[in-house]
Amino acid sequence: MKITWSKNLFSCTYKLFESGKPIGYLINRTFSNAYEATILGEKYTFLSQGFFKQNTKIIDREKNTVVGKIVYNTWMNRATITIDDNKFLWKFDNIWNTKWSLVNKQGERIIFQGSSGHGKIISELENPLYLMCGLYVTNYNWQTASVAIAAMIPIWITLFS
């Protein structure tokens, strides 16, 4: 399965494509801890909770049931994604955070490459929810890092002015 995605600079929506045809989206509502995802007709909500011990519930919007969870490590550079009884490790694969992957215990991988504006996904697995989880966790980390940097700028300016 090969998927591409794109996002405009000031947009909150990732658009997903397979062979150039739209197949879904991931959208963050401004000032919300919930993301909406749709892929190949399946609809999910990612609902983040916690401050120091952050985690995310994955909710099937059609059935209104929790189908999985994402638990982040302390430094937010790794996450464990559990859907049904399947566990995946999410991690960045390079220092620039432009390559990342999901890997399960069987060694099956989903490989992601991109920036905040566009990218591609190559998957050995056919489950579209796994693809969304990998894109969601990365976007969540990028946003968390941006907020941390924005919070540190006034402190840095004050200290070195």
Side-chain angles (χ1 to χ4, degrees):
M1 182 175 241
K2 293 182 181 179
I3 306 289
T4 58
W5 54 268
S6 65
K7 177 182 160 300
N8 291 332
L9 183 59
F10 295 108
S11 174
C12 295
T13 304
Y14 287 84
K15 298 175 185 173
L16 287 86
F17 304 91
E18 186 172 30
S19 301
K21 296 178 184 172
I23 61 163
Y25 64 85
L26 175 67
I27 186 169
N28 176 16
R29 302 287 180 211
T30 306
F31 304 113
S32 173
N33 61 345
Y35 283 68
E36 291 179 15
T38 298
I39 186 164
L40 298 171
E42 297 178 16
K43 297 178 181 181
Y44 300 98
T45 298
F46 293 90
L47 182 61
S48 295
Q49 302 170 311
F51 186 73
F52 290 111
K53 178 89 170 129
Q54 296 182 358
N55 64 77
T56 301
K57 289 182 183 178
I58 306 166
I59 302 165
D60 182 322
R61 288 199 325 251
E62 297 290 320
K63 298 175 186 171
N64 198 27
T65 58
V66 176
V67 295
K69 67 179 179 176
I70 303 168
V71 178
Y72 307 93
N73 74 344
T74 304
W75 302 106
M76 300 287 292
N77 61 352
R78 293 187 187 268
T80 302
I81 300 167
T82 306
I83 300 170
D84 298 322
D85 287 325
N86 299 313
K87 282 192 176 187
F88 286 84
L89 174 66
W90 173 95
K91 66 181 182 66
F92 282 116
D93 292 332
N94 68 1
I95 196 167
W96 303 279
N97 296 346
T98 58
K99 294 181 181 180
W100 61 99
S101 60
L102 292 178
V103 181
N104 65 13
K105 289 180 184 178
Q106 293 77 27
E108 298 168 313
R109 297 177 64 101
I110 302 173
I111 300 168
F112 299 80
Q113 182 175 349
S115 63
S116 60
H118 57 70
K120 64 182 177 180
I121 306 167
I122 300 171
S123 177
E124 298 172 359
L125 303 165
E126 293 296 320
N127 188 324
L129 179 54
Y130 300 149
L131 305 176
M132 276 300 188
C133 288
L135 189 58
Y136 166 79
V137 172
T138 304
N139 182 66
Y140 186 75
N141 277 336
W142 285 338
Q143 283 192 334
T144 302
S146 297
V147 169
I149 290 168
M152 293 303 293
I153 289 173
I155 295 168
W156 187 68
I157 291 172
T158 303
L159 290 174
F160 297 105
S161 297

